Amino acid sequence: MDYPPHLELVQAAEVYGDHWDTGEALGIAWCESQFNLEAVSRTSDFGAWQIHKGTWRDSGVFGDRIWSRRYEATANAAMAFHVWQWGERTYGDGWVLWSCHK
């Protein structure tokens, strides 16, 4: 099923537009979940950007406060931005952490 890009999802991604490429970020969200904010994978990835529970929540990176909002556009984008930043620092390319990267 295709989901239209929720305006709130676009706006949430644009908040980080001074740091990441918003078009690329939305492309990742489309590829990962087709913009479905409520997406859950068989491998415990959540939200539009499919944030992996084991890597980011269970390891303590994201606490209960933000994780409980994982289906909200602003929280899922904030988590995706954090993941992207970690990838930028670690690999020089924040997008490589998603299976949908270039």
Side-chain angles (χ1 to χ4, degrees):
M1 173 180 232
D2 291 345
Y3 291 85
H6 303 278
L7 180 57
E8 64 182 336
L9 189 67
V10 173
Q11 291 171 335
E14 287 176 338
V15 166
Y16 306 102
D18 289 344
H19 306 285
W20 69 3
D21 180 285
T22 301
E24 184 75 21
L26 291 169
I28 294 290
W30 169 255
C31 180
E32 292 286 341
S33 70
Q34 295 183 326
F35 297 133
N36 182 355
L37 286 165
E38 297 178 5
V40 179
S41 75
R42 293 181 304 233
T43 56
S44 295
D45 306 302
F46 294 84
W49 278 277
Q50 291 292 276
I51 306 300
H52 188 256
K53 183 178 185 275
T55 302
W56 301 103
R57 166 56 179 94
D58 294 347
S59 67
V61 174
F62 299 129
D64 290 335
R65 186 172 167 193
I66 193 165
W67 189 256
S68 67
R69 297 177 45 232
R70 66 191 171 276
Y71 300 119
E72 296 175 19
T74 55
N76 200 246
M79 289 189 282
F81 180 70
H82 177 83
V83 171
W84 176 84
Q85 281 185 309
W86 189 89
E88 283 288 302
R89 286 190 307 271
T90 306
Y91 302 111
D93 181 357
W95 305 118
V96 301
L97 298 171
W98 280 272
S99 60
C100 291
H101 75 282
K102 300 182 211 182

